[in-house]
Amino acid sequence: MAEESLETDGLRSSMPAELHHPHSKYSQWKFKLFRVKSMEKAPLPSETQLEKGALSGFLPPVAPNIELDNGPGSVMKLCLGGKSKENVEGPGRRVDMKLQEMDTHMNHLRCLCRLCGYVLRKVKGPVHDVHADLDEVSKGALRKMACRFSSWPEVILKVFKVDVTEDTEAVHPLSFCHRCWMAAIRGGGVCSFSRTRVPEWKPHSSPCHICSPKKPSFQRTGRKRRKSIPRAQSLGKRTRWDHSNSIAIGERRVLRPFGDYNHGPVLRAWKKQGIQRENWVKNITHCQKDHLSTKLISERLPVDFLFSFTCLVCDHLLFDPVQAPCAHLFCRSCIIKYNHVLGPHCPACNLPSAPDDLTSPSKAFLSALHSLPLLCPRGGCGQQVRLDSFKAHCLRHDLDEQDKNEKSSELDIYLLTNKGGRPRQHLLSLTRRAQKHRLRDLKNQVKVFADREEGGDLKSVCLTLFLLALRSGNEHRQADELEALMQGRGFGLHPAVCLAIRVNTFLSCSQYHKMYRTVKATSGRQIFQPLHSLRAAERELLPGFHQFEWQPALKNVSASCNVGIINGLSGWTSSVDDSPADTITRRFRYDVALVSALKDLEEDIMEGLRDSGLEDCACTSGFSVMIKESCDGMGDVSEKHGGGPVVPEKAVRFSITIMSISVLADDEEEAVTIFTEPKPNSELSCKPLCLMFVDESDHETLTALLGPIVAERNAMKESRLILSIGGLPRSFRFHFRGTGYDEKMVREMEGLEASGSSYVCTLCDSSRAEASQNMVLHSITRSHDENLERYEIWRTNPFSESGEQLRDRVKGVSAKPFMETQPTLDALHCDIGNATEFYKIFQDEIGEVYEKVNPSREERRSWRAALDKQLRKKLKLKPIMRMNGNYARRLMTQETVEVVCELVPSEERREALRELMRLYLQMKPVWRATFPAKECPDQLCRYSFNSQSFADLLSSTFKYRYNGKITNYLHKTLAHVPEIIERDGSIGAWASEGNESANKLFRRFRKMNARQSKIFELEDVLKHHWLYTSKYLQKFMEAHKDSAKALQATIDPVDILEDEDLSMEMTDF
């Protein structure tokens, strides 16, 4: 039985002995019936050779390294990997096999619909081209539904939400069926009323679902699988017609190309391998019309010499040649298309060759290539032309032919004048096809002119011709609109301008869309851009859009660049005793936010390099960026709308400001500052990094939320950023200064006791009594590292001291410092704190506290009421519950002292008050100025003298108030200002005023983005606040500040003209 089966079925029915069932007959019958699919479809090398021999009429000799035995070992060899590319194909045929696969794959794609994936021949009706213009029937049907599109890609994008403009022939089908055409027409070119699921087309690969789809009989459809009828094991009957061009997919599905069937003999002749390969490559490169053949060479050159100037992909003369790492030469377009289809490897030697590895050949080779003599193929010419001037020579032939055609057309005009027939139609009344036919010659002439004179800019040439035609016809208004459109300042605003208008006017999505529709309906023009254009512009400005690299890579930070808004609670359970989160926080990743901020300043950086006289090539390394960090609570931000979890209605914002950028050139020793923030205390320069619903007094929660930011900041200190600025990769190092904190936040972050502690200062170790006795002579002694060491002493108590002794040793450190701050003075809160102290001094002087001992509370209330009444009457200063910056600025003036002195009974005390305010106003500009050395040099030089005089006045005239005590900010004002300015150069520039002034923005953005969930609401607020601080949008707003006038002129130009006429009449009068 076994021998009969071997004789009948050959090698495929052989089975190894270890696979035999005890019932041998049944096992052999079962083995025949249920054959392995791979064994059916993959013939052995011997079968392949036998079939080829039968088709060509002779049998080729058998290769000596292939055994044709029928033993059981051959089947095991096939099952265990014997059929590999090394055993069956050989290394020389792998590229040809890949080309054949791609050709088959592209034939499959030509038979499928681009939109629904169905077979085109199974759908009744014509087939439509995806990239073609609308035909007259489709255009007429869509025009009836108010659709003005002119091409199918626009309709498909609107109806099926698929962009087909970037489709390639190797990946996507180029046609769609009539069923999808009906769906687009019924939807009016706007929407689809049928559920058409557009498939995802992927490049060809080994498990391609198009070339080898799954059998439908094995899919789980919920129905019982039908029993297959066993077929005879012999060869099937030969068909009458040849289906060699059909494409077999699976067992039951057969695709046939378009057109009639080929009725030819069954046994067709096999093409040569070189010709088949050439056809496959032609389908990939499509360069036959552009590249020149080697047959044009006029001289008889050696074959090897000619082969060196031939592209190894298309076999044409090299056009724009490039050289692979393996030294093989190709046309640039051919090798790029070849690698896109078949993968990045060399077609000649199969070595890896990516598009980035391609280089230009040597100049000697290029000169030899360009000097090749070519024979002009035009009839009657026969001139030998060099390769580099061959294109210009052919262009002259084309111009000569056009001149001849023009002369003949002029003669035809004279001949056909009295021909008769229907009158000639106007150009605008013709169809698009007829318009193209009539303007064909003009189009060619304009194209030749644009290529020769304007570098191929055909659009600019046509628009200029149209503009000149309008000017010659005195249609100046339409010409002005066209000229504005050509210069990029037309009535259709840029999406970035629309985005800036929406963000700066705090418009919600619905409000902006209502304005967009109203303006469009009123003016008849699309002046504002739709919302989807604004969202596309948002992505480029928000963090997570630009690519960058850190060298070395940041520790414990992902290397991904496309990271947007993330949850600030990540890592919560590992940091705070596994307690559940009762807060909501959203933030940007620190490094990604810095990259976006630098790209926003790209124009300023390049302008600074040009102003400094530095070349781009000399400034690729050594950029230093100074960052100011600010963090402060925003108080109560509760709103009536919004849902979500119960969270505290107090919020905290962490912000950053790029203060300056300096560069160290390659040949210089000192760094040059190329950018300095002109308004460091403005809310427009303070970019939000993290927003969180948390109370700033909650030390544990604040530590956990800011912990990841601290970790990212410490990692960035030890690395450098590689970012493309101005088209060149440049290196940046960051220096962080935490200066934008008030007294309360500094004590939270550095682990110090509260502000009411006896240790009055966050800069030195002096106590309140020591600071009141010696008000001026103190120096900065505290630092972040020293506070960490004192916390370890506080935690471990190594000397076994008592509580008071240990507290005196650590100088008020009672918690672990978790963020490094710069020992400095916050100018804004210093001004507010000193104004509060002067407000109390005014009350005491009105009540003559220097003569009284322990006045009652009712007396103090009466003094305060009298002061508030006087300030409201004379200065229109309304009384407030809590001192703020605006009230402090108006209170600390000489005019206010004169008003208060009207209520002070003693003349001596009035003079003391005036002198105290005069000294304070002399000192205030020093710490409030952004650049004190430039803005107030005289006050800076006299600051030490003025501070000593101010301290003497407090310790003598106002001793009743400052005997053994002093406020925190008065101590810092008198003792530490000169030392800080000598170290940092400024105090006012590093204040927290920008972060404080952005508190009102949080409330406005929250009302603008009112949503049901506080999580999404916080994301919207963070996103729009970041866009509000974008320099790019601010420049657009500055450049288009006259857009409102242009908008009004577009909506109602008659009123504008009347107003202008009226203004001219008034001027004349």
Side-chain angles (χ1 to χ4, degrees):
M1 183 68 184
E3 295 176 358
E4 294 175 1
S5 63
L6 287 174
E7 292 175 358
T8 305
D9 297 321
L11 291 172
R12 290 185 179 177
S13 60
S14 60
M15 182 173 58
E18 57 267 28
L19 297 180
H20 272 287
H21 195 269
H23 305 282
S24 58
K25 294 183 178 180
Y26 173 77
S27 60
Q28 288 185 4
W29 172 81
K30 186 177 181 181
F31 189 81
K32 285 183 178 182
L33 185 60
F34 300 98
R35 291 183 176 180
V36 183
K37 183 179 180 181
S38 62
M39 297 170 69
E40 287 185 358
K41 289 195 171 184
L44 291 176
S46 58
E47 291 183 354
T48 306
Q49 292 178 357
L50 290 174
E51 291 174 1
K52 287 185 178 180
L55 290 173
S56 59
F58 64 91
L59 293 176
V62 181
N65 58 345
I66 300 178
E67 298 178 2
L68 297 177
D69 58 340
N70 296 337
S74 61
V75 178
M76 281 302 293
K77 183 178 180 182
L78 181 62
C79 294
L80 298 177
K83 181 185 178 299
S84 62
K85 288 187 175 181
E86 288 77 5
N87 297 335
V88 178
E89 293 181 358
R93 294 182 54 201
R94 293 180 192 170
V95 177
D96 293 343
M97 294 298 292
K98 186 66 176 179
L99 288 170
Q100 185 178 4
E101 289 181 11
M102 283 306 305
D103 187 63
T104 306
H105 180 75
M106 293 166 66
N107 288 334
H108 290 177
L109 292 176
R110 294 188 188 100
C111 304
L112 300 179
C113 175
R114 170 66 175 86
L115 302 177
C116 61
Y118 288 171
V119 183
L120 293 173
R121 68 180 182 84
K122 292 186 177 182
V123 180
K124 295 182 180 180
V127 177
H128 306 272
D129 190 2
V130 172
H131 302 283
D133 296 333
L134 291 175
D135 55 292
E136 294 302 325
V137 177
S138 304
K139 189 189 302 182
L142 293 177
R143 287 291 172 88
K144 293 179 181 178
M145 302 182 185
C147 179
R148 301 295 179 182
F149 293 139
S150 59
S151 61
W152 278 118
E154 298 175 345
V155 177
I156 292 173
L157 179 62
K158 191 69 175 179
V159 175
F160 299 97
K161 305 299 184 293
V162 178
D163 187 8
V164 298
T165 55
E166 299 181 356
D167 285 4
T168 57
E169 188 179 2
V171 180
H172 307 87
L174 302 181
S175 306
F176 63 98
C177 62
H178 196 63
R179 184 186 302 169
C180 298
W181 180 86
M182 292 291 293
I185 296 300
R186 288 171 181 170
V190 178
C191 62
S192 176
F193 295 105
S194 61
R195 297 181 179 179
T196 303
R197 184 176 180 182
V198 181
E200 182 181 0
W201 302 98
K202 298 181 180 180
H204 177 66
S205 58
S206 55
C208 182
H209 67 283
I210 297 177
C211 299
S212 56
K214 297 180 180 180
K215 290 186 178 181
S217 59
F218 288 105
Q219 294 178 354
R220 296 178 180 265
T221 59
R223 294 179 297 176
K224 188 175 181 181
R225 187 170 60 182
R226 295 181 299 175
K227 294 183 179 180
S228 58
I229 303 175
R231 294 177 294 179
Q233 301 299 326
S234 60
L235 293 175
K237 183 179 180 180
R238 292 184 178 178
T239 56
R240 184 176 180 182
W241 305 111
D242 178 19
H243 298 285
S244 57
N245 291 334
S246 62
I247 304 157
I249 301 180
E251 291 184 356
R252 302 179 182 178
R253 186 178 174 190
V254 177
L255 305 179
R256 294 181 179 86
F258 299 114
D260 299 333
Y261 295 127
N262 297 324
H263 305 286
V266 177
L267 297 177
R268 59 185 179 86
W270 287 82
K271 294 183 180 180
K272 292 184 180 180
Q273 186 175 0
I275 298 176
Q276 186 67 38
R277 174 192 171 89
E278 184 179 354
N279 294 334
W280 291 332
V281 172
K282 284 181 180 179
N283 291 334
I284 294 176
T285 58
H286 297 286
C287 63
Q288 292 79 18
K289 296 182 180 180
D290 300 330
H291 298 176
L292 301 176
S293 174
T294 55
K295 298 178 182 180
L296 294 177
I297 297 179
S298 58
E299 300 179 3
R300 185 175 180 83
L301 300 178
V303 177
D304 295 337
F305 180 77
L306 186 60
F307 183 74
S308 61
F309 297 106
T310 306
C311 174
L312 296 179
V313 177
C314 64
D315 292 336
H316 293 134
L317 287 176
L318 289 170
F319 181 79
D320 190 11
V322 290
Q323 184 176 347
C326 55
H328 290 116
L329 296 169
F330 317 95
C331 303
R332 183 183 297 274
S333 60
C334 296
I335 190 62
I336 290 176
K337 294 177 182 177
Y338 185 90
N339 288 342
H340 178 71
V341 174
L342 300 178
H345 64 270
C346 176
C349 59
N350 210 23
L351 291 177
S353 175
D356 298 337
D357 301 334
L358 300 176
T359 58
S360 180
S362 62
K363 294 183 179 180
F365 177 81
L366 292 176
S367 61
L369 174 64
H370 294 158
S371 63
L372 287 177
L374 302 182
L375 190 64
C376 180
R378 299 295 179 96
C381 181
Q383 185 179 353
Q384 287 189 0
V385 188
R386 286 168 53 95
L387 177 62
D388 52 0
S389 59
F390 188 80
K391 184 177 181 180
H393 179 78
C394 295
L395 187 60
R396 284 196 295 270
H397 280 298
D398 296 336
L399 293 176
D400 294 340
E401 291 182 359
Q402 289 179 5
D403 294 340
K404 293 179 182 179
N405 294 333
E406 289 177 359
K407 293 179 181 179
S408 62
S409 62
E410 291 177 359
L411 294 175
D412 293 340
I413 290 173
Y414 290 112
L415 293 175
L416 301 176
T417 302
N418 299 324
K419 188 176 180 180
R422 65 178 184 178
R424 186 178 179 86
Q425 293 180 337
H426 192 271
L427 183 65
L428 296 179
S429 63
L430 297 176
T431 62
R432 180 169 297 179
R433 184 175 180 180
Q435 289 174 347
K436 289 182 179 179
H437 180 74
R438 182 177 292 184
L439 299 177
R440 182 178 66 246
D441 297 335
L442 177 61
K443 177 183 176 183
N444 294 333
Q445 293 178 13
V446 174
K447 186 175 182 181
V448 170
F449 174 81
D451 292 339
R452 186 175 67 251
E453 301 292 339
E454 301 298 329
D457 193 357
L458 184 62
K459 180 180 178 182
S460 297
V461 174
C462 295
L463 288 176
T464 307
L465 285 174
F466 184 37
L467 179 64
L468 294 176
L470 292 175
R471 296 290 187 194
S472 63
N474 292 329
E475 299 179 8
H476 295 292
R477 180 179 176 183
Q478 192 174 358
D480 292 339
E481 295 180 7
L482 178 61
E483 190 173 6
L485 182 65
M486 293 170 62
Q487 295 177 0
R489 53 178 180 83
F491 290 100
L493 298 178
H494 193 275
V497 181
C498 300
L499 179 62
I501 293 174
R502 186 203 162 194
V503 172
N504 284 272
T505 55
F506 305 99
L507 294 177
S508 63
C509 293
S510 58
Q511 290 172 336
Y512 176 83
H513 186 64
K514 184 178 180 180
M515 180 186 69
Y516 160 75
R517 291 191 305 170
T518 304
V519 172
K520 186 176 180 181
T522 306
S523 64
R525 298 184 181 91
Q526 183 172 316
I527 299 175
F528 292 99
Q529 300 299 324
L531 279 172
H532 66 83
S533 300
L534 271 63
R535 294 191 182 100
E538 283 179 3
R539 296 191 202 100
E540 300 182 12
L541 300 176
L542 290 174
F545 180 79
H546 303 283
Q547 299 296 316
F548 59 90
E549 181 184 359
W550 288 93
Q551 293 181 355
L554 299 183
K555 297 180 180 178
N556 300 325
V557 179
S558 173
S560 177
C561 303
N562 303 322
V563 180
I565 299 177
I566 60 177
N567 187 4
L569 292 176
S570 52
W572 172 277
T573 55
S574 61
S575 58
V576 188
D577 301 331
D578 298 333
S579 59
D582 58 349
T583 182
I584 299 174
T585 174
R586 288 294 181 270
R587 71 179 182 95
F588 296 112
R589 212 175 73 189
Y590 208 153
D591 59 329
V592 179
L594 288 178
V595 168
S596 180
L598 286 177
K599 292 295 289 186
D600 194 31
L601 295 173
E602 185 172 7
E603 295 183 5
D604 296 328
I605 294 174
M606 300 307 298
E607 185 179 356
L609 289 176
R610 287 191 297 269
D611 295 343
S612 303
L614 299 175
E615 298 181 359
D616 289 350
C617 58
C619 302
T620 56
S621 62
F623 284 85
S624 298
V625 185
M626 189 65 67
I627 305 295
K628 178 179 75 172
E629 296 177 333
S630 306
C631 185
D632 191 24
M634 289 180 282
D636 187 14
V637 292
S638 58
E639 295 286 344
K640 293 184 178 180
H641 65 268
V646 179
V647 296
E649 287 300 317
K650 290 187 176 182
V652 175
R653 183 198 300 106
F654 188 92
S655 306
I656 57 174
T657 304
I658 297 182
M659 298 295 294
S660 64
I661 300 176
S662 58
V663 59
L664 181 63
D666 296 340
D667 300 332
E668 301 292 334
E669 295 182 358
E670 295 184 359
V672 179
T673 302
I674 60 174
F675 171 77
T676 303
E677 176 58 50
K679 298 179 180 179
N681 290 323
S682 171
E683 68 271 13
L684 296 176
S685 61
C686 191
K687 295 182 175 293
L689 184 68
C690 180
L691 293 177
M692 40 197 159
F693 285 117
V694 65
D695 191 353
E696 59 179 328
S697 302
D698 190 351
H699 180 78
E700 288 79 10
T701 307
L702 197 63
T703 304
L705 296 180
L706 295 180
I709 296 179
V710 176
E712 294 169 5
R713 175 200 194 194
N714 295 334
M716 286 187 288
K717 287 182 180 179
E718 302 173 359
S719 181
R720 62 192 182 102
L721 173 67
I722 306 298
L723 179 64
S724 176
I725 296 291
L728 293 176
R730 305 178 192 270
S731 173
F732 295 87
R733 287 194 178 274
F734 296 93
H735 306 277
F736 302 93
R737 284 189 180 179
T739 60
Y741 310 115
D742 58 357
E743 179 90 7
K744 182 178 181 180
M745 188 62 68
V746 169
R747 291 181 178 271
E748 285 286 337
M749 292 186 173
E750 291 290 353
L752 303 177
E753 295 177 354
S755 56
S757 169
S758 59
Y759 294 96
V760 64
C761 188
T762 60
L763 306 179
C764 63
D765 298 335
S766 60
S767 62
R768 198 174 297 272
E770 295 172 354
S772 63
Q773 294 174 2
N774 182 12
M775 295 186 180
V776 178
L777 301 177
H778 294 278
S779 61
I780 299 175
T781 57
R782 288 186 186 271
S783 65
H784 182 71
D785 297 333
E786 185 179 5
N787 290 337
L788 284 173
E789 295 176 0
R790 289 177 175 177
Y791 169 73
E792 289 298 323
I793 296 176
W794 170 266
R795 187 177 63 85
T796 59
N797 193 6
F799 304 104
S800 301
E801 296 173 319
S802 62
E804 289 297 327
Q805 293 174 340
L806 185 61
R807 183 168 174 266
D808 184 63
R809 179 181 291 275
V810 299
K811 304 299 181 182
V813 177
S814 59
K816 183 178 181 179
F818 67 93
M819 179 172 279
E820 181 180 0
T821 61
Q822 182 81 359
T824 185
L825 171 68
D826 184 32
L828 174 65
H829 292 89
C830 180
D831 199 9
I832 295 175
N834 292 338
T836 304
E837 190 64 20
F838 266 85
Y839 187 74
K840 295 178 180 179
I841 292 176
F842 293 158
Q843 298 177 34
D844 293 346
E845 290 300 318
I846 291 173
E848 297 180 328
V849 179
Y850 58 91
E851 294 180 353
K852 300 179 181 179
V853 180
N854 297 327
S856 63
R857 183 176 297 179
E858 287 74 13
E859 290 178 333
R860 290 189 177 277
R861 287 178 179 173
S862 64
W863 302 338
R864 179 172 181 176
L867 177 61
D868 290 339
K869 183 178 180 181
Q870 182 75 357
L871 293 177
R872 186 166 189 171
K873 179 180 179 182
K874 299 291 184 177
L875 301 177
K876 301 191 182 316
L877 270 177
K878 298 180 181 179
I880 56 175
M881 297 294 295
R882 185 179 179 184
M883 183 68 66
N884 55 48
N886 294 327
Y887 194 92
R889 290 189 197 96
R890 298 189 62 185
L891 184 69
M892 303 303 290
T893 58
Q894 202 70 35
E895 181 183 3
T896 305
V897 174
E898 296 297 333
V899 171
V900 174
C901 286
E902 296 178 4
L903 303 178
V904 178
S906 173
E907 182 64 29
E908 181 182 358
R909 308 301 297 185
R910 296 176 190 169
E911 290 298 327
L913 269 181
R914 293 190 184 101
E915 180 66 15
L916 192 69
M917 180 61 74
R918 186 188 68 81
L919 290 174
Y920 181 82
L921 293 180
Q922 285 289 321
M923 294 188 296
K924 178 181 176 181
V926 177
W927 77 75
R928 288 294 287 172
T930 305
F931 305 103
K934 297 180 180 179
E935 299 176 17
C936 51
D938 296 337
Q939 289 92 332
L940 180 61
C941 294
R942 292 176 56 85
Y943 191 88
S944 298
F945 175 77
N946 290 332
S947 62
Q948 185 64 50
S949 303
F950 191 90
D952 294 341
L953 196 60
L954 290 181
S955 59
S956 58
T957 307
F958 300 93
K959 186 178 181 180
Y960 68 92
R961 184 168 181 83
Y962 298 101
N963 186 14
K965 58 181 180 179
I966 192 173
T967 61
N968 302 1
Y969 283 113
L970 266 182
H971 163 70
K972 292 179 181 179
T973 303
L974 297 174
H976 297 300
V977 169
E979 185 177 0
I980 297 175
I981 291 182
E982 184 180 359
R983 182 193 66 191
D984 298 337
S986 173
I987 294 178
W990 299 91
S992 64
E993 193 167 359
N995 196 37
E996 289 286 345
S997 58
N999 289 347
K1000 61 180 181 296
L1001 295 178
F1002 179 87
R1003 295 174 175 86
R1004 297 204 64 176
F1005 282 126
R1006 194 176 184 191
K1007 292 180 180 179
M1008 165 185 168
N1009 299 285
R1011 299 176 71 171
Q1012 291 298 320
S1013 173
K1014 286 188 174 66
I1015 296 176
F1016 297 111
E1017 189 177 81
L1018 204 60
E1019 290 182 2
D1020 291 340
V1021 171
L1022 182 60
K1023 177 180 69 174
H1024 287 99
H1025 195 173
W1026 182 276
L1027 294 173
Y1028 185 84
T1029 60
S1030 172
K1031 300 281 187 182
Y1032 182 77
L1033 293 185
Q1034 294 170 21
K1035 291 177 182 177
F1036 262 107
M1037 285 293 293
E1038 185 68 23
H1040 293 76
K1041 56 186 178 183
D1042 296 331
S1043 298
K1045 185 177 179 180
L1047 172 62
Q1048 184 63 29
T1050 306
I1051 296 175
D1052 199 354
V1054 179
D1055 295 344
I1056 297 298
L1057 292 176
E1058 291 178 357
D1059 294 342
E1060 290 180 357
D1061 297 339
L1062 182 62
S1063 63
M1064 291 175 62
E1065 293 174 1
M1066 295 294 292
T1067 304
D1068 296 339
F1069 174 76

